[in-house]
Amino acid sequence: MKLQGYTNASATVTVYKAGTGTSATLFSTDTGTSKSNPFTAAADGFFSFYVDNGSYDIQFSGSFTTYSWTDIRVAEAGVTSNILTFGAKCDGSTDDTTAIQAAIDIATPNKVQLPTGTCKTTNELLIDDHRITIEGNGPDASYILFAPAASPKAAIRVDLASATVISLTRLKGFSIHTQDTTRLKIGIDIVDGSETIVEDVAIGTQDAWYGGTSVSPFTGTGSIGIRIAGREFGTFRNVRSCGAIPIYIANNPNFASIDLDHHNFDGFYLEPHGDNPSVYVEDGANLTNVVFQNGGWVLGGAGFYWPDTTSVGNSYDLIFRNIRAEQFTSPGYVFYITKSSPLRGLRIQDVLTGSGTNNKGVYLRGADQVVFDVFNYFGTLECLNTDSSFEWRNSVCQSTSTVNLGSLVEVWSEGHADSLAPIPMFGRWETAGAFTNFDAGLVRRYMGVYQLAKTGTLASSATQQIPSRFGSIVLGRISIAFKGATKNGSFTVAVTSAGAYLESTTDASITGVGNVA
């Protein structure tokens, strides 16, 4: 196993078997070429050597105070390094940045162990090699207290120096906190990561991870909990993030066509600061096979916010399941998605929202193959604002506000209508332009959206009953469209209940509209 790192320039490096004064056998290659012990580090302080499995102490001496790294454990699976053996104190006041970085850099694969306690850092901890793990004793036991001396900085940055994909990073069982409220910070910054796992990690506390300039179009501070800039096979499990923007999904700087692919966010509590969203997706990014499930979006000004105007490739299969969004501090949508290139396959399932006074429902543009399944909005603001086709299953919009649905045609419905909902609990809506086989005299009922009700010829002065289809008609309107017919004289639609009527005298388009009580 290769061990490496940095020490003082041209220092003398002596390697012992752990806990003894016995010199260890060293090698300069993995094929068994011997290496002297002790040996001299390079002019920039870099050193490296190979050793067999076991535990080792490394002593550094020269024109400086002698110090040691102790009990570095080498096994077939890699190296396990406790940061305390590299000189970290984790007393909440000593700057442990150098010691923790040395523990990270000693080998790959490498499991860096954080002890119980508070380890203060003042600069980024950089993971720039594959198969590195940082693991603590739990988010309520192992703490990183980040006190950046400059901004923007990340507490932990995962980024391969060769500007390509970095694989098999594991971050588990610790918290990242700060007392700084002025500098722009990122808790965990992942650049082009593959098979990344972040598990049992907490970033910030309520209203305690913010600072720096805002992210447009939001106001307030701009610090980020977790930023992910690519690539695939990521798992984020049991994560709590209270950053100004808890999760920020950015464009992959190394590979434009894969920004976020096959990522699973399972078990999360996100609490943004100010009017920021819980999850922000950068303009131009593409998402494929991404799941958010079993979590909560609390406070802030939005839930999932994706204002895309420049993306080129399509995005596919975005799923939200078992999520509760509540207590927004400023009016915003739980789901806000506008796509320049299509999003094909969006499922919003088992979602509860609308409590409080600021929660809006869903805003969609540029999405298709959309399914709402047990989506329950119990609020007073806008429930649904979409020009996208969708299926509506066992779902309720209690609000009387559904917007921009007049261009959608309901092609089937079943079940019953909720007395508080402006649309039935079941239905399938498609864009009106997709239906070109309307017969002359098509009659449609709609309540914010069209519902297919009756076709056939309408005789002069005839009365036509419009069926309610398993539910009652609530406040809405009727539209009668003639196709392939010739109009002679004026045309009137009258509603025989307590409604009004509108008379049309235009030959080009004959449409009568009346309110339904």
Side-chain angles (χ1 to χ4, degrees):
M1 174 63 65
K2 184 180 182 180
L3 299 182
Q4 63 183 22
Y6 283 89
T7 181
N8 298 73
S10 304
T12 298
V13 182
T14 308
V15 183
Y16 300 101
K17 293 182 178 179
T20 74
T22 304
S23 295
T25 300
L26 307 184
F27 306 95
S28 59
T29 67
D30 59 357
T31 58
T33 304
S34 62
K35 184 182 182 74
S36 62
N37 186 12
F39 63 91
T40 303
D44 63 355
F46 179 76
F47 67 90
S48 67
F49 59 90
Y50 289 83
V51 290
D52 293 330
N53 294 340
S55 296
Y56 299 92
D57 299 335
I58 306 176
Q59 182 187 85
F60 306 97
S61 58
S63 57
F64 53 88
T65 302
T66 299
Y67 67 96
S68 297
W69 297 345
T70 60
D71 197 24
I72 300 171
R73 300 177 184 181
V74 179
E76 293 296 334
V79 171
T80 299
S81 53
N82 189 318
I83 65 171
L84 297 178
T85 71
F86 290 78
K89 301 301 181 184
C90 294
D91 57 8
S93 58
T94 303
D95 186 355
D96 294 320
T97 308
T98 300
I100 300 174
Q101 189 65 59
I104 293 171
D105 293 340
I106 192 67
T108 179
N110 180 13
K111 178 181 178 181
V112 178
Q113 188 68 44
L114 302 179
T116 297
T118 300
C119 310
K120 180 180 177 181
T121 61
T122 57
N123 205 342
E124 290 182 340
L125 298 174
L126 177 62
I127 297 175
D128 61 353
D129 210 341
H130 308 291
R131 299 183 294 171
I132 301 294
T133 297
I134 298 179
E135 183 172 344
N137 296 323
D140 295 324
S142 299
Y143 297 88
I144 294 175
L145 178 60
F146 188 44
S151 61
K153 290 291 184 180
I156 299 175
R157 181 173 174 83
V158 181
D159 189 0
L160 201 62
S162 59
T164 187
V165 62
I166 183 168
S167 301
L168 298 165
T169 301
R170 305 286 186 265
L171 305 175
K172 181 178 180 181
F174 58 88
S175 295
I176 303 175
H177 296 291
T178 190
Q179 295 173 346
D180 174 78
T181 59
T182 60
R183 293 182 173 87
L184 180 63
K185 301 170 294 299
I186 302 174
I188 298 172
D189 193 10
I190 301 167
V191 180
D192 205 3
S194 178
E195 298 181 76
T196 305
I197 295 178
V198 178
E199 183 175 12
D200 293 330
V201 168
I203 299 175
T205 57
Q206 185 176 13
D207 282 347
W209 187 272
Y210 56 93
T213 57
S214 62
V215 175
S216 178
F218 305 100
T219 60
T221 63
S223 289
I224 296 167
I226 299 174
R227 191 180 83 109
I228 311 160
R231 165 179 315 206
E232 78 260 308
F233 309 132
T235 300
F236 294 76
R237 186 166 43 236
N238 300 332
V239 170
R240 177 173 59 82
S241 182
C242 299
I245 300 179
I247 294 180
Y248 187 115
I249 299 171
N251 289 277
N252 187 341
N254 302 332
F255 198 69
S257 61
I258 302 180
D259 296 310
L260 201 70
D261 178 50
H262 283 91
H263 272 63
N264 184 25
F265 299 84
D266 187 0
F268 52 83
Y269 186 89
L270 306 181
E271 191 175 277
H273 180 75
D275 68 347
N276 295 295
S278 287
V279 181
Y280 178 76
V281 183
E282 198 170 68
D283 184 17
N286 286 316
L287 278 61
T288 50
N289 299 100
V290 176
V291 178
F292 287 85
Q293 62 183 358
N294 306 322
W297 298 337
V298 182
L299 301 180
F304 182 89
Y305 193 86
W306 189 2
D308 172 60
T309 61
T310 62
S311 67
V312 178
N314 292 344
S315 294
Y316 293 93
D317 300 329
L318 177 59
I319 297 175
F320 300 94
R321 181 187 298 123
N322 191 26
I323 294 173
R324 180 167 179 167
E326 59 183 334
Q327 302 175 48
F328 286 6
T329 54
S330 59
Y333 292 94
V334 176
F335 302 98
Y336 182 96
I337 299 174
T338 64
K339 289 292 285 110
S340 172
S341 58
L343 165 61
R344 304 194 185 283
L346 170 65
R347 180 180 291 269
I348 298 175
Q349 179 179 4
D350 300 323
V351 172
L352 175 64
T353 188
S355 63
T357 59
N358 290 312
N359 294 62
K360 297 182 181 180
V362 181
Y363 184 99
L364 293 179
R365 298 292 186 273
D368 57 27
Q369 297 174 289
V370 180
V371 176
F372 294 86
D373 193 355
V374 194
F375 171 72
N376 292 301
Y377 178 83
F378 298 112
T380 59
L381 301 180
E382 189 174 283
C383 171
L384 187 59
N385 186 333
T386 177
D387 61 356
S388 303
S389 303
F390 63 92
E391 291 190 22
W392 187 257
R393 304 174 181 173
N394 296 297
S395 299
V396 172
C397 274
Q398 179 173 299
S399 167
T400 58
S401 176
T402 54
V403 180
N404 208 46
L405 303 184
S407 61
L408 302 180
V409 179
E410 184 185 358
V411 296
W412 56 259
S413 67
E414 57 183 89
H416 64 278
D418 188 289
S419 61
L420 298 176
I423 56 179
M425 294 179 66
F426 299 86
R428 179 179 178 87
W429 284 265
E430 300 285 0
T431 54
F435 293 87
T436 59
N437 59 341
F438 291 154
D439 295 326
L442 174 65
V443 181
R444 297 178 299 206
R445 172 180 69 87
Y446 67 96
M447 299 171 291
V449 292
Y450 291 116
Q451 179 180 1
L452 186 63
K454 186 77 173 178
T455 62
T457 302
L458 296 180
S460 177
S461 301
T463 299
Q464 177 65 58
Q465 179 66 41
I466 299 177
S468 62
R469 299 294 301 276
F470 307 107
S472 59
I473 297 179
V474 296
L475 291 177
R477 58 179 184 166
I478 314 165
S479 173
I480 301 178
F482 288 81
K483 184 173 182 180
T486 300
K487 181 178 96 53
N488 294 301
S490 64
F491 168 66
T492 301
V493 174
V495 180
T496 57
S497 59
Y501 67 87
L502 175 68
E503 180 173 316
S504 172
T505 58
T506 303
D507 285 339
S509 175
I510 308 172
T511 302
V513 178
N515 294 322
V516 179

